[in-house]
Amino acid sequence: MKIEETTNEGLRRAYAVTIPAKDIDAAIEAEVKKIAPQVRMPGFRPGKVPSNLVKKMHGEAIHGQVVNEQIQGAVDSLMRDKKLRPAMQPRVEFGDGYEQGKDAKLTVDLEVLPEIETPSLDGLKLERLMVPVADSEVDEAVNNIASQQKSWKDAPKTKKAADGDQLIIDFVGSIDGVEFEGGKAEETPLVIGAGRFIPGFEEQLAGAKAGDDKTITVTFPADYPAKELAGKDAQFAIHVHKVQVEDETKVDEDFAKSLGLESMEQLRGLLKGQLEQELGGLTRTAMKRQLLDTLASGHDFAVPQGMVDAEFEQIWAQLQQEAANDADPKAALKEIEAEKDDYRAIAERRVRLGLLLSEIGQANGVQVTQAEMSMLIQQAAQQYRPEDRERFNELIRTNDMAAAQLRAPLYEDKVVDFLFDKADITDREVTREELQAAIEAEETPAPAPAKKKAPAKKAAKEEAPAEAKPAKKPAAKKEAAPAEDKPAAKKAPAKKAAADDKPAAKKAPAKKAAAKK
């Protein structure tokens, strides 16, 4: 095999590769010998069909298979011999003028991962912003639950039901005088205006009093699930037992017990724990944001533009989708178009941070264990229908890139936790508002000295460093490190942060070099 380097500029490499005809012919002969024992042909005993007849019968298919295998082998050898670490799947193109019996010529174009000096972790300082949970916040949480637990009390018998009141009713439904299945119930609660019954039902009971008997007529919707009732008029004979009005829920021991708990103390303890967990997540997000900003400001190296393109495309597609759902789609799209360069700078920063975190993790032995990976696969598989789960599992087993995508968020969390352990951390008590402001503070997308401030409504507040994914074969042995913990979202131009907490964009697969028949 002959290899000639045609491009070596920055991170870009290109090669002209020639596979000698004799190597292709030898591989074809080996394949013919391999399959000959299985070939069946009238007049010959099994395994005794001459090679020339095997070639005549299957030569075209064998040749195509062998050439494709030779191309893949040549690319793998190129990566190994030149010690290349592809940033993404190489682009392979097969020469148009190839004919059987001649040398096969192909071009291989790729970007390599940059050589990154492992940063020193000495002197890393971080501030942990702590928000104590106040009793007033627990009180508010308790009251919120109480407001959702409506209780009712009987109204005077002269009370006419109004919007928001609850009636206790019996009803019997019929169509053309014949009762239908499922159209009868006793002592059923109905809240006027809640919209739980078919259109027109609740409204016709406005003004009813306890003891009233009424007959109403309603039309079942055309898309009603019971096809035998859809679109038909029905009469309901109704007896009103009670009219009830909403009663204030008392927050006491009985209220806690109505929720299945032993006491109000237990309820408050649970709610306080939830609030502490929520605030702890925000604290971690703020500290991680601070960590990433520190890393970005101290490291500036060239990054593969293909990875930046893929990351930007993900951000941009999400922004466009959000703009389309905005109240004024044209204005939202115009706003993000004006900030397009800033979003690309953010995509570049994400890629740089991803590569940097990956380097730190590899240099310090951070790994996702097989047990952790198995747990990730099980959790992810639950998102699919039972009949699709095995196909998902097979994808993860056979596709390095898909496995890297799944592993990436956990790997990054482990790298970040490693850095937290190494850092000198000081605690500072702040308010919830101050913590939120720290998360949503303006960021500078590029580490160059003359930094351009991102627009105020920038989707990159929720910046996620890009994943350093392996190519088809992980020659670079880089673990992925994609997404930053998602902070509480600050509204972006198109409603949602574009740099959401997601792995970096999938790399496009190499163009398959199909052998000409």
Side-chain angles (χ1 to χ4, degrees), residues 24 74 79 99 108 132 188 251 270 299 342 366 374 390 476 507 517:
I24 298 174
M79 300 301 147
E99 296 178 8
V108 182
T188 296
V251 180
L270 289 172
H299 300 85
D342 293 304
V366 178
S374 297
E390 182 52 41
K507 282 49 175 189
K517 302 290 193 289

Side-chain angles (χ1 to χ4, degrees), residues 12 88 111 304-316 344 347-348 351 505-506:
R12 188 153 214 91
M88 297 175 65
E111 284 184 295
Q305 288 306 300
M307 294 180 73
V308 175
D309 291 342
E311 189 64 37
F312 173 74
E313 286 169 10
Q314 255 200 354
I315 293 173
W316 195 245
R344 183 165 185 86
E348 182 171 323
V351 171
K506 273 191 175 181

Side-chain angles (χ1 to χ4, degrees), residues 95-150:
D96 292 333
Y98 174 70
E99 296 178 8
Q100 291 189 29
K102 293 187 176 182
D103 294 347
K105 296 183 178 181
L106 54 140
T107 59
V108 182
D109 196 335
L110 72 153
E111 284 184 295
V112 296
L113 291 171
E115 294 294 333
I116 304 171
E117 183 178 349
T118 304
S120 171
L121 304 181
D122 296 336
L124 179 60
K125 296 180 181 296
L126 297 173
E127 187 177 51
R128 181 162 44 208
L129 305 181
M130 311 286 288
V131 179
V133 176
D135 289 341
S136 59
E137 290 184 280
V138 179
D139 293 339
E140 183 180 355
V142 172
N143 291 331
N144 286 339
I145 293 177
S147 68
Q148 298 168 14
Q149 304 291 321
K150 286 187 177 181

Side-chain angles (χ1 to χ4, degrees), residues 198-249:
I198 59 176
F201 197 108
E202 297 169 8
E203 293 85 342
Q204 295 184 61
L205 292 178
K209 303 189 301 296
D212 283 358
D213 291 297
K214 298 189 68 171
T215 299
I216 64 174
T217 299
V218 295
T219 301
F220 282 96
D223 59 352
Y224 194 71
K227 300 300 182 185
E228 67 277 10
L229 301 177
K232 293 186 177 180
D233 293 336
Q235 294 74 44
F236 283 88
I238 298 171
H239 176 70
V240 180
H241 288 283
K242 300 176 182 179
V243 175
Q244 297 180 319
V245 294
E246 189 174 348
D247 193 13
E248 182 180 356
T249 301

Side-chain angles (χ1 to χ4, degrees), residues 124-128 287 290-291 294 420 423-426:
L124 179 60
K125 296 180 181 296
L126 297 173
E127 187 177 51
R128 181 162 44 208
M287 192 161 69
Q290 186 187 154
L291 169 67
T294 300
F420 285 168
D424 179 10
I425 298 176
T426 57

